[in-house]
Amino acid sequence: MVKCSTFVCGIDAGIDVVGGKWKVLILWELQARAMRFGELKRALAGVSEKMLIQHLRELERDEVVHREVHHEVPPRVEYSLTEYGVTLNEALGPLGAWGQEHKERLEKIRRAAANVG
């Protein structure tokens, strides 16, 4: 069953679409080219098959990712960004730049917090 959402604001809607660790990484991987499921799984070290399937389905439902089935033997399925997905990746660009700029600081803060607890 699909949850029907009423969003409080734009950031709420955006975070709902990309929420979860793997969705933004999926979008990042698909920015350059279409990829098969196995390629995505290898590119996203640590993602479970179940989680990748779930996130791809949700991104496809939200029309951010396109799933194309090539009727060949053996069957081939490729995932790519829709035009809508490309605009989402562009919106995530500044967040990625911020993360890159502050990554070391954040890692240091988190290591210190882990040592305290």
Side-chain angles (χ1 to χ4, degrees):
M1 182 171 176
V2 175
K3 180 178 90 173
C4 184
S5 297
T6 301
F7 300 110
V8 175
C9 63
I11 196 77
D12 182 28
I15 293 299
D16 187 73
V17 172
V18 298
K21 176 180 180 178
W22 301 106
K23 286 185 180 178
V24 292
L25 298 175
I26 291 167
L27 296 174
W28 178 260
E29 289 298 329
L30 292 176
Q31 74 180 348
R33 64 182 179 90
M35 296 177 79
R36 295 176 71 171
F37 182 86
E39 292 176 297
L40 276 170
K41 183 148 179 16
R42 284 189 298 278
L44 301 170
V47 68
S48 70
E49 191 165 310
K50 178 183 174 185
M51 189 57 63
L52 182 55
I53 290 168
Q54 178 184 330
H55 283 330
L56 284 168
R57 284 182 180 159
E58 290 171 2
L59 290 167
E60 184 181 6
R61 174 203 65 205
D62 290 336
E63 299 178 359
V64 172
V65 166
H66 173 71
R67 179 179 184 266
E68 184 168 352
V69 179
H70 299 272
H71 299 286
E72 304 171 346
V73 178
R76 180 169 52 101
V77 177
E78 288 184 325
Y79 296 91
S80 60
L81 292 179
T82 62
E83 288 183 31
Y84 186 51
V86 170
T87 66
L88 179 56
N89 250 6
E90 290 169 354
L92 291 170
L95 180 60
W98 182 90
Q100 188 64 36
E101 183 177 337
H102 299 288
K103 184 173 72 164
E104 290 178 17
R105 178 176 186 230
L106 289 167
E107 290 168 348
K108 182 179 174 184
I109 291 167
R110 303 258 172 112
R111 277 193 301 274
N115 291 332
V116 170

